[in-house]
Amino acid sequence: MPIPPWVAVLVVIGVGKVVFDWLTKKPKTDEGAENTPHPPLPPPPGSEPSPSSPEPSPDATREQDSGGQTKKFYGRIKEGHTSSEEFLLPILHVVSEMGGSGDANQIIERVGALMETRLNALDRETLVGGTVRWRNSVATARYNMVHELKWLNPDAPYGIWEITAEGREQTKGWNPSEPDNPM
């Protein structure tokens, strides 16, 4: 005998509710009460940690923002590494040398070779996600050149970086072999 449609609907609703409840349930402690909030965060970097506060992992540091909220940062630093802005002209130079467009991986490798003498130990560190910091800075520079500066073509095929007329203008007079180039 076939199952009436209204029974099938009730079964689906019931199963959906059970799955929803299971996904949204809160863990219980041994006494059956809900867990208390997470323990307090360690003090921000630069302040004196109390002996009872746990040490943060080497990958994570905590810092308070202007609203007093504590944020967790993974490997982020504010100074001491080569900024993404310093990669703008080298990227444009490499893309121009490659005829105006090229494979992203080849461009990144050539930019790395071009910037080799400017990269420091912080630039060569591996971030939590597995990317080397200077490569991450190149990706940020590329994003800015596509979306804000319009120096690279946003309609280029995936994995290809293509310079625009505005980007070519930026490279005029720039010589990568001069150490004091304005970037």
Side-chain angles (χ1 to χ4, degrees), residues 52-160:
S52 63
S53 66
E55 288 293 319
S57 73
D59 294 338
T61 59
R62 298 175 192 268
E63 182 176 286
Q64 287 192 349
D65 67 7
S66 59
Q69 295 285 346
T70 302
K71 295 181 176 181
K72 192 172 190 179
F73 293 93
Y74 288 95
R76 296 182 190 156
I77 56 175
K78 295 179 180 169
E79 56 187 45
H81 66 94
T82 306
S83 71
S84 61
E85 289 80 20
E86 293 181 66
F87 287 97
L88 296 175
L89 291 176
I91 291 170
L92 292 176
H93 175 77
V94 168
V95 175
S96 292
E97 278 188 336
M98 294 176 75
S101 69
D103 176 71
N105 291 324
Q106 291 177 354
I107 293 169
I108 292 169
E109 289 301 319
R110 289 186 183 188
V111 167
L114 184 63
M115 297 286 289
E116 182 68 29
T117 58
R118 296 183 187 180
L119 300 177
N120 60 39
L122 289 175
D123 294 321
R124 299 174 202 284
E125 286 181 352
T126 302
L127 303 174
V128 173
T131 305
V132 178
R133 181 173 273 115
W134 73 265
R135 288 177 178 271
N136 194 54
S137 295
V138 169
T140 301
R142 185 250 175 211
Y143 179 89
N144 292 335
M145 286 192 284
V146 169
H147 298 285
E148 295 174 12
L149 301 170
K150 311 296 185 202
W151 295 351
L152 293 178
N153 183 2
D155 298 324
Y158 180 81
I160 303 296

Side-chain angles (χ1 to χ4, degrees), residues 24-69:
T24 59
K25 73 179 178 181
K26 295 183 180 173
K28 305 285 182 184
T29 60
D30 292 337
E31 298 84 36
E34 292 185 4
N35 282 338
T36 57
H38 296 287
L41 298 173
S47 65
E48 198 62 37
S50 66
S52 63
S53 66
E55 288 293 319
S57 73
D59 294 338
T61 59
R62 298 175 192 268
E63 182 176 286
Q64 287 192 349
D65 67 7
S66 59
Q69 295 285 346

